[in-house]
Amino acid sequence: MMRAVVFDVGETLIRDDRGWARWADWLKVPRHTVSALVGAVVAQGHDNADALRLIRPDIDIAAERAAMEAAGVGEELSEADLYPDVRPALAALREKGLRVVIAGNQAAHVGQLLRELDLPVDEIATSGEWGVAKPDPRFFARVLDLAGTPPDKTVYVGDHPANDIRPAKAAGLRVAHLRRGPWGHLWSGTAEAAGADWQIDSLHDLVRCAAS
């Protein structure tokens, strides 16, 4: 039985398109160029930040992100960035008595933005706050500490096989692979994705799994 469900952030709870559009505007390139390059690097199995390095090979992403924040065009999150199933599904899981946690590879500032959305969750943490990121096993050790549940009673939900499914399974967690976003769709037929305990197309599917 599930006792806790832990969610990735990008393309699991929130759409990433507005963030990539912000980068395109900042780097003064067409938005569709950035979208296409993100798709290309994802298809090659690379870090999505490599799309920015293709545009500007010498880019210091951390420095540029800080400059964007200073210019008032940094990271933002609103209700419109959430996928429509997020709030009702999280609430339904809590109503079933499950502990609901958010933990993903995001900057510390994004952790605060997520908290300001007042989602129906018990805990929120980001890699920026922890100082360790997926797929590092230490990230999933922190996930289990935050969830406060045994690995085999804890489900990690994400779209990325290499960052979510494989390392979560290696840490002993159960895993739900969410088929949305570029990674979720592109890698859904891979052996890594097949290693998930569940393949889902919506967070509502997860609620039904928890009820079974």
Side-chain angles (χ1 to χ4, degrees):
M1 290 180 61
M2 300 181 193
R3 287 176 50 189
V5 184
V6 185
F7 292 89
D8 171 45
V9 179
E11 294 302 338
T12 296
L13 302 181
I14 64 172
R15 297 180 176 89
D16 286 343
D17 50 339
R18 189 154 72 115
W20 289 118
R22 189 179 298 112
W23 273 109
D25 295 345
W26 179 255
L27 297 175
K28 295 181 171 57
V29 297
R31 292 182 176 185
H32 76 269
T33 297
V34 172
S35 295
L37 289 174
V38 170
V41 298
V42 167
Q44 295 173 45
H46 299 314
D47 181 359
N48 56 8
D50 285 344
L52 304 179
R53 298 183 182 102
L54 289 172
I55 295 168
R56 188 184 293 174
D58 62 347
I59 191 170
D60 181 330
I61 292 175
E64 290 296 327
R65 185 177 284 116
M68 291 166 73
E69 292 289 345
V73 292
E75 190 81 41
E76 296 178 359
L77 284 179
S78 72
E79 193 74 18
D81 295 304
L82 295 173
Y83 278 100
D85 59 355
V86 170
R87 196 173 288 277
L90 298 186
L93 289 167
R94 289 189 87 191
E95 288 169 6
K96 292 183 180 298
L98 298 174
R99 185 166 171 80
V100 179
V101 175
I102 295 172
N105 278 0
Q106 303 288 335
H109 176 55
V110 176
Q112 183 56 39
L113 294 176
L114 287 166
R115 294 181 186 98
E116 291 171 2
L117 290 175
D118 195 25
L119 293 165
V121 300
D122 297 291
E123 297 283 354
I124 296 173
T126 67
S127 59
E129 294 168 330
W130 283 346
V132 61
K134 297 180 292 185
D136 193 310
R138 292 174 296 171
F139 179 93
F140 290 94
R142 295 294 299 267
V143 163
L144 290 170
D145 287 343
L146 195 61
T149 49
D152 63 342
K153 305 296 184 186
T154 308
V155 180
Y156 194 81
V157 185
D159 62 306
H160 199 305
N163 278 352
D164 300 327
I165 297 172
R166 183 172 61 196
K169 290 289 285 186
L173 285 76
R174 305 184 78 187
V175 181
H177 179 235
L178 180 60
R179 290 183 295 234
R180 70 178 169 205
W183 295 271
H185 285 104
L186 183 63
W187 303 108
S188 63
T190 64
E192 283 184 320
D197 296 278
W198 298 276
Q199 293 267 354
I200 60 175
D201 296 304
S202 162
L203 298 186
H204 295 305
D205 294 339
L206 188 65
V207 176
R208 288 189 281 272
C209 292
S212 62

